[in-house]
Amino acid sequence: MMVLITYDVSTETEGGKRRLQKVAKQCVNYGQRVQNSVFECLLDPAQFAELKSRLEKIVNPETDSLRYYFLGNNYKNRIEHYGAKKTYDPEGILII
Amino acid sequence: MMVLITYDVSTETEGGKRRLQKVAKQCVNYGQRVQNSVFECLLDPAQFAELKSRLEKIVNPETDSLRYYFLGNNYKNRIEHYGAKKTYDPEGILII
């Protein structure tokens, strides 16, 4: 299933900057970065549970937020892009 | 229908900073800000076309990007939140 992950991490402190980097690093392992704080990840339920648990250990829930959007399997019809950067096909082939 | 709008606007120049403000200002008129550059908007097709056209006139497609995710009408089951900030019910009632 396609899971869209968006995050806001407060970077007012050095700790926040480190959290931001760590969140991005985890997401990179599981999906495609489509914008600065937006990742599209093709995951099975076990992978999603794993990623979620990792991310939620990194962020500070008082200042940071994570949102997960479940786009299902027919996600291709649910996504539209405008402007800079290529759109990735998360199943492997680049759509240019 | 629920449309999730995410954007990346390059703020390296003064013009970019202005574009970022303008994009946010438009989105605020149509939906709920759930993260810095993430809005959830309940729109009918005409409203979506209007907002899209406004946003695409503001951004610089060479440096900025907009993504639209169509979450449909059953969007409530498609969204999960962790951490800071309240989750809004875009139909009006705050879920705290």
Side-chain angles (χ1 to χ4, degrees), chain A residues 1-6 30 41-56 66-70, chain B residues 77-82:
Chain A
M1 62 179 177
M2 170 61 82
V3 185
L4 178 74
I5 300 174
T6 67
Y30 289 86
C41 307
L42 259 186
L43 304 170
D44 63 37
Q47 288 170 319
F48 173 62
E50 188 181 73
L51 174 57
K52 191 172 185 294
S53 148
R54 288 181 181 200
L55 295 177
E56 293 176 8
L66 292 163
R67 282 179 88 80
Y68 311 100
Y69 296 91
F70 306 103
Chain B
N77 300 325
R78 295 187 177 274
I79 306 175
E80 225 180 286
H81 179 90
Y82 179 81

Side-chain angles (χ1 to χ4, degrees), chain B residues 27 46 52-54 61 70:
Chain B
C27 289
K52 191 172 186 295
S53 148
R54 289 182 181 201
F70 306 104

Side-chain angles (χ1 to χ4, degrees), chain B residues 30-82:
Chain B
Y30 289 87
Q32 293 281 6
R33 184 174 227 156
V34 292
Q35 286 177 341
N36 243 333
S37 304
V38 180
F39 281 80
E40 290 174 3
C41 307
L42 259 186
L43 305 170
D44 64 37
Q47 289 170 318
F48 174 62
E50 189 181 73
L51 176 55
K52 191 172 186 295
S53 148
R54 289 182 181 201
L55 295 177
E56 293 176 8
K57 274 178 197 145
I58 296 167
V59 300
N60 176 351
E62 309 270 306
T63 56
D64 310 334
S65 84
L66 292 163
R67 284 179 86 82
Y68 310 101
Y69 296 92
F70 306 104
L71 302 182
N73 291 319
N74 278 328
Y75 60 88
K76 286 183 188 170
N77 300 325
R78 295 187 177 274
I79 306 175
E80 225 180 286
H81 179 90
Y82 179 81

